[in-house]
DNA sequence: CACTGAAAAACTGTCAACAGTTTTCGCGTG
DNA sequence: CACGCGAAAACTGTTGACAGTTTTTCAGTG
């Protein structure tokens, strides 16, 4: 297993330049090396990364698509600034997509998937940092999405993937340890989801996924630390 | 009301060159002027549209994001080829997103929205071609999505918008007339959705939206005409 | 000291050109 | 006639340069 996230590189066989720039920049953004709101000028990035403006331009557009970079009306780009409201926004999309995927996965659940997921949960139990848990959580859901076999569901989910990483990362930088309570709750929640998926009932799986992802919404902002370091009350998501 | 679709142009104040190319190309693709599978070479497009390769390149990447263009492993681009399975795929995402939006819209439904939607339905009743109905249908759902006020829900929905247009367009070219039965059913379905939204019950609204969008899945492929002109049986979507 | 305004610096949009690779085409051969 | 095979054409990835515009700097002024 690779140590880096299974991030959505561009097409595999392709020229690696724009992908390299995008990967490096993505990492710098999600790790906080480039803080929210930082200016991203093409010439600076070009010399920094030792390439010309072309690839930088394309990389920035890709990161825009991933929601990590925003362009203003004049064409200038900055690292996105996310508020709790934005996180709620993202979570709505996440819940929608993961619920749909769960309903389909329930219909094609097999032992191979069970093994993958349970192995992931086992690693989660052995984790001691939020960063590790987060990485495993993302991998867990990536596996579920892929199991659904619905290509566009997956690509759409991936398009918000990085934003989740960014938000969670900003949370973790403020609070790296994880309590055994939180960990146990996380593990339990994932086990429940696996059970629901294994049950083969689409409706139950859908609801379990919604509950699971919704749990994160209720939990994450309650740490009270916004990505910009300020504290604020989370904007809430109406649950039906 | 503008005669052209309220398509997702790039940033408004921006340089219009890449947006222009993308818009023109998009129209040519969804209208079938450029059939599925057509090669799209940067130099040809550049001379055709009287610009250099740069803007063409960016426009192609944007259309890739919209799912209208695909790149192979070598970097060559073609107009996407959609199968009934792809349409089912897209519909899954659509149902997921529109259901989520409906749940949120139910909580903030007002008379302004009601007027917009009912006016749209009225125009629909007066339509005589599938093309017109489709355009109004898309506008209807765009209005609902926007009413949800969830930015990422909207942008994500927009990212599959063009693919729906492409699929429906290919269907319509094969069969331009619309029976009064189909029209009545369409209108009825939209009215039901409005009622559900107006009801203020998130769960009911969510289900109504799923039912509504799901109806299209069951209906559209049954015309039996695939975008490439062949006939085939639709791949089906498991409903929970 | 705050403020105005012009000059300078920086940045984006666009273009044309080059290098390496892939595809296409036509020719010769079995 | 089918089939390799090599040359030519075409295409993508990348670069550097130029024009127009925006932002920043800074000197001069009240």
């Amino acid at each position: 297993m690779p140590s880096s996230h299974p991030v959505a590189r561009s097409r595999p066989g392709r020229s690696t330049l724009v992908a390299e720039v995008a990967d490096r920049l993505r990492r710098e953004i999600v790790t906080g090396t480039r803080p929210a709101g930082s200016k991203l000028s093409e010439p600076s990035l070009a010399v920094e990364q030792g390439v010309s403006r072309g690839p930088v331009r394309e990389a920035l557009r890709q990161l825009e698509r991933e929601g990590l970079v925003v362009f203003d009306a004049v064409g200038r780009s900055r690292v996105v600034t996310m508020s709790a409201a934005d996180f709620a926004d993202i979570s709505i999309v996440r819940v929608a997509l993961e619920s749909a995927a769960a309903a389909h996965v329930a219909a094609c659940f097999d032992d191979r998937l069970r093994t993958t997921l349970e192995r992931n949960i086992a690693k989660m139990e052995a984790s001691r940092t939020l960063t590790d848990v987060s990485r495993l959580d993302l991998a867990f859901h990536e596996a579920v999405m892929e199991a659904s076999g619905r290509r566009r569901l997956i690509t759409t989910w991936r398009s918000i993937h990085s934003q989740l990483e960014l938000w969670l990362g900003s949370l973790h930088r403020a609070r790296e340890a994880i309590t055994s309570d939180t960990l146990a709750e996380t593990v339990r929640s994932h086990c429940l989801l696996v059970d629901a998926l294994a049950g083969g009932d689409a409706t139950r799986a859908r609801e379990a996924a919604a509950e699971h992802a919704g749990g994160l919404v209720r939990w994450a902002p309650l740490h009270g630390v916004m990505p910009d370091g300020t504290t604020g009350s989370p904007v809430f998501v109406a649950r039906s």
Side-chain angles (χ1 to χ4, degrees), chain A:
Chain A
M1 174 175 300
S3 65
S4 70
H5 299 210
V7 90
R9 307 187 81 90
S10 303
R11 299 157 279 287
R14 279 297 287 297
S15 154
T16 57
L17 247 183
V18 40
E20 265 179 44
V21 175
D23 287 349
R24 223 163 342 196
L25 219 47
R26 188 186 301 109
R27 180 188 303 270
E28 290 176 2
I29 292 175
V30 295
T31 60
T33 305
R34 292 186 186 273
S38 311
K39 290 178 190 168
L40 298 168
S41 91
E42 293 173 10
S44 316
L45 292 173
V47 305
E48 273 177 37
Q49 313 237 354
V51 297
S52 83
R53 275 181 56 206
V56 171
R57 232 179 132 74
E58 272 189 47
L60 285 174
R61 293 318 198 290
Q62 175 162 343
L63 294 176
E64 180 194 24
R65 150 167 72 181
E66 294 177 23
L68 258 37
V69 167
V70 291
F71 285 79
D72 64 17
V74 207
R76 247 126 216 196
S77 52
R78 302 171 148 319
V79 175
V80 70
T81 305
M82 279 211 279
S83 66
D86 290 316
F87 175 67
D89 231 48
I90 298 165
S91 296
I92 289 171
V93 179
R94 184 189 179 184
V95 169
L97 298 175
E98 293 193 356
S99 303
H104 290 272
V105 169
C108 65
F109 193 88
D110 60 11
D111 282 342
R112 218 177 95 56
L113 180 58
R114 178 193 292 277
T115 305
T116 303
L117 298 183
E118 288 182 343
R119 210 168 273 170
N120 180 293
I121 294 178
K123 280 195 201 127
M124 219 180 264
E125 281 185 290
S127 299
R128 284 293 166 268
T129 67
L130 277 171
T131 305
D132 287 345
V133 173
S134 238
R135 174 153 50 223
L136 289 165
D137 179 73
L138 242 20
F140 179 95
H141 290 289
E142 171 108 20
V144 173
M145 295 304 295
E146 270 188 14
S148 80
R150 302 292 168 167
R151 194 160 58 80
R152 285 176 182 76
L153 206 49
I154 300 168
T155 59
T156 307
W157 184 81
R158 287 229 180 90
S159 75
I160 60 162
H161 183 288
S162 296
Q163 296 179 66
L164 278 171
E165 248 185 300
L166 174 57
W167 175 267
L168 295 176
S170 67
L171 240 45
H172 299 167
R173 274 191 295 288
R175 180 191 221 274
E176 179 58 22
I178 184 168
T179 68
S180 56
D181 275 7
T182 303
L183 182 58
E185 166 60 21
T186 303
V187 168
R188 199 186 63 85
S189 176
H190 281 81
C191 288
L192 275 165
L193 181 53
V194 172
D195 285 345
L197 293 175
D201 179 350
T203 301
R204 194 179 141 224
R206 187 193 301 275
E207 282 164 4
E211 184 57 36
H212 175 85
L216 183 64
V217 179
R218 283 190 293 281
W219 172 80
L222 293 180
H223 278 135
V225 182
M226 302 296 109
D228 57 9
T230 66
T231 58
S233 60
V235 171
F236 236 68
V237 185
R239 289 267 300 147
S240 57

